Amino acid sequence: MPYRKVDDPTRLQALLGAVLLIESDLDRDVLLQRIIEVAVEQVGARFGALRVLGAAGEGLERFLHVGIDESTVERIGHLPGGRGVLGHLITEPESIRL
């Protein structure tokens, strides 16, 4: 990925804060949730998600998300489990924007 300069001090501070969280003593899920929140803020998205692969590299251990209220989560029902688009990304790990 090519290097992109960050000129906005507020954005740079948010990005550095997220990087520093990695070395903190936060619970893994709390840390990953915060990283998703920062990423969503940085790109101006309404929704963001992160998949955590299972130990064997197959399927999903966790699917963390931000930007969806509880009633929408309930209507969606079962969250992704590593099939479909996410299953494809496990076997073909390249970025995809939908």
Side-chain angles (χ1 to χ4, degrees):
M1 170 183 265
Y3 169 76
R4 291 178 51 186
K5 185 176 180 183
V6 178
D7 292 324
D8 180 354
T10 303
R11 279 188 75 192
L12 183 59
Q13 184 175 5
L15 292 169
L16 289 173
V19 169
L20 292 175
L21 281 175
I22 293 171
E23 292 188 2
S24 70
D25 290 331
L26 289 176
D27 172 73
R28 180 185 70 168
D29 285 349
V30 173
L31 169 63
L32 293 176
Q33 195 75 28
R34 183 62 189 133
I35 289 172
I36 301 166
E37 291 167 358
V38 170
V40 164
E41 291 169 8
Q42 294 303 306
V43 300
R46 293 180 302 177
F47 169 82
L50 182 78
R51 66 191 170 119
V52 178
L53 289 178
E58 299 175 359
L60 298 179
E61 176 185 317
R62 291 253 199 281
F63 183 81
L64 303 163
H65 56 85
V66 298
I68 302 177
D69 60 61
E70 281 303 312
S71 65
T72 303
V73 170
E74 288 177 19
R75 286 194 327 255
I76 291 171
H78 183 68
L79 292 173
R83 295 178 299 278
V85 172
L86 288 178
H88 174 76
L89 289 171
I90 291 170
T91 58
E92 301 291 328
E94 294 185 19
S95 296
I96 185 172
R97 186 174 180 176
L98 303 171

